[in-house]
Every structure is written in structure tokens, then in C-alpha cells.
Amino acid sequence: MVAGLAGLGLGAVGVYYLSRSRPKAEEKAVDSVAADLPQHPGVKQSDNRASFCQLLSDYRMRLKQQQDLLADAEAKMRQIERQAEEVCRVYAQDPTFKYNCNGWPVCSWNEWYTVSGTTTNQQANSACLTHLKTGSGLSLRIHELKPGGAWDDTWEDVKRINAQIADAYQQIQSLRVQYARAQDQANAARAAIADLERRISDLEAQGVFC
């Protein structure tokens, strides 16, 4: 009888300690899972799964916003580049001179030059486009008026070309400011996208799928 009571007593004690130990073990397991979850602004390790799901949803929404901003910035950059192609061709103009003679066979008695058109200076054109994209230095181009009576008929045309070049030079400076602004927007969006993608992957790697 005494032995039976002793057995029951030990059994009760065992059940008591078992009942006390299980919640601690479960609590440690929960703490371990929580400790594995990444640290993210706005939530604590102790928050429930719904908090992480809400955060994941917010990350995805912000990711879409940044992707849209990047697309807008890149589209703006392409638009500016197309504008700059025409502006840079004007900036890179070189006058083409034509020789005229009205005293054949002795042309030196009556000879002169005229501007028959323009050609594109490829080096100047390339420098102009590089300036747009990188902000590298760009100088104003001016074609000198050739002295002497034989060149009189070229002066007005050369002045006109110089005026066009000066106007194109100012335009490319304005386009450069716009392009740099779009570049900054694109770079900021790319950095934000990389960060958000890392955060999303971080949560998903911990089993947070919502």
C-alpha cells in the first residue's frame, strides 16, 4: 500500500515537471526561429508572422514603385540622347568651301571662295555626346573668318554657322543638366531595387511567404 502511494507520488511529480518543462522547450524553439529571422526596420524579432507578411508586402510594393521610377528615368535618358544627336551634329558643323574662278585661264585676276555647305566633324560630335553622358569638358567651337578679299563671300555664312554652333552649345549644356538629373534618379532607383530585392530574399529564405 505504501509502495503504491509512493509510486503514484513519483508519477505525479514526474507529470508536474514534464508539464513545466514542455512550455520552456517550446518557448526556446520559438525563440530560436525568431532569432533566425532577419532584422528589418519596423518589426522586432518578437513580432508575429503577420508582421513579417505585412513587411514583405510593403517591400514588394516599394520594389514595384522603384522599378517604375527606373523605367521612367531610363526612358527620359533615351529621349534626351535622341535630342542630343541632332544638337551635337549642329555643334560639330564645319563649313565646306568652294573655289570659284571668273578669269580663266588666269584665275588669279578674279577668284573667290563661297561656303557650299557643311560637314560633320566626327571628333567634335563624339566629344559632344560624351559630354552629355559623362559631363566631360566641352569647349565652344568658333570658325575664324578667313582674311582677304577672296574670302569675303564666306564671312556671312561662317558667322551664321558660328551662331548655330553657339546655340547648339547652349542647348547641350541644358540637356546635360536634364540628363544628369535622370541619371541620378536611375542610380538611386537601382540602389533601392537592389536593397529591396535583398530584403525580400532575406525574408523568403526564412520561410516568410505570404
Side-chain angles (χ1 to χ4, degrees):
M1 181 69 177
V2 172
L5 291 173
L8 289 174
L10 289 173
V13 170
V15 170
Y16 171 77
Y17 281 108
L18 182 61
S19 65
R20 290 295 299 269
S21 64
R22 280 182 179 174
K24 289 181 180 179
E26 291 173 0
E27 182 179 351
K28 288 180 180 178
V30 172
D31 289 343
S32 176
V33 172
D36 289 337
L37 287 171
Q39 294 288 339
H40 293 269
V43 295
K44 303 185 296 292
Q45 289 181 344
S46 59
D47 287 347
N48 59 29
R49 187 178 183 83
S51 297
F52 288 99
C53 285
Q54 183 177 0
L55 184 62
L56 182 59
S57 176
D58 179 64
Y59 284 164
R60 287 170 176 162
M61 179 186 68
R62 288 161 55 189
L63 177 61
K64 178 63 169 59
Q65 291 173 341
Q66 293 298 325
Q67 289 171 335
D68 289 343
L69 286 174
L70 176 58
D72 290 343
E74 290 178 336
K76 180 64 174 178
M77 290 166 66
R78 289 192 295 270
Q79 176 190 351
I80 295 172
E81 287 170 2
R82 288 192 294 269
Q83 289 179 260
E85 287 176 359
E86 179 58 32
V87 173
C88 285
R89 277 194 291 269
V90 175
Y91 167 83
Q93 286 183 103
D94 283 344
T96 301
F97 298 103
K98 178 183 178 182
Y99 175 75
N100 300 273
C101 170
N102 197 28
W104 188 88
V106 186
C107 285
S108 61
W109 290 352
N110 190 10
E111 60 183 358
W112 71 100
Y113 291 87
T114 55
V115 174
S116 60
T118 62
T119 57
T120 300
N121 185 309
Q122 294 302 327
Q123 184 176 358
N125 188 63
S126 178
C128 180
L129 293 172
T130 300
H131 173 71
L132 172 79
K133 296 178 181 179
T134 68
S136 59
L138 189 69
S139 301
L140 176 61
R141 304 178 72 237
I142 299 177
H143 295 291
E144 298 294 335
L145 303 181
K146 295 180 180 293
W151 297 93
D152 288 359
D153 291 332
T154 69
W155 293 348
E156 290 304 316
D157 287 326
V158 171
K159 289 177 181 178
R160 174 179 51 80
I161 292 170
N162 282 340
Q164 292 173 352
I165 291 173
D167 183 60
Y169 179 78
Q170 294 301 322
Q171 288 184 55
I172 204 64
Q173 303 307 320
S174 176
L175 290 175
R176 168 58 195 164
V177 172
Q178 298 174 48
Y179 194 84
R181 190 179 299 121
Q183 277 182 317
D184 289 343
Q185 179 181 325
N187 290 335
R190 290 190 189 99
I193 288 169
D195 181 63
L196 288 165
E197 287 178 339
R198 179 189 63 79
R199 292 178 181 277
I200 290 171
S201 297
D202 201 15
L203 286 177
E204 291 178 344
Q206 302 300 329
V208 181
F209 294 98
C210 308

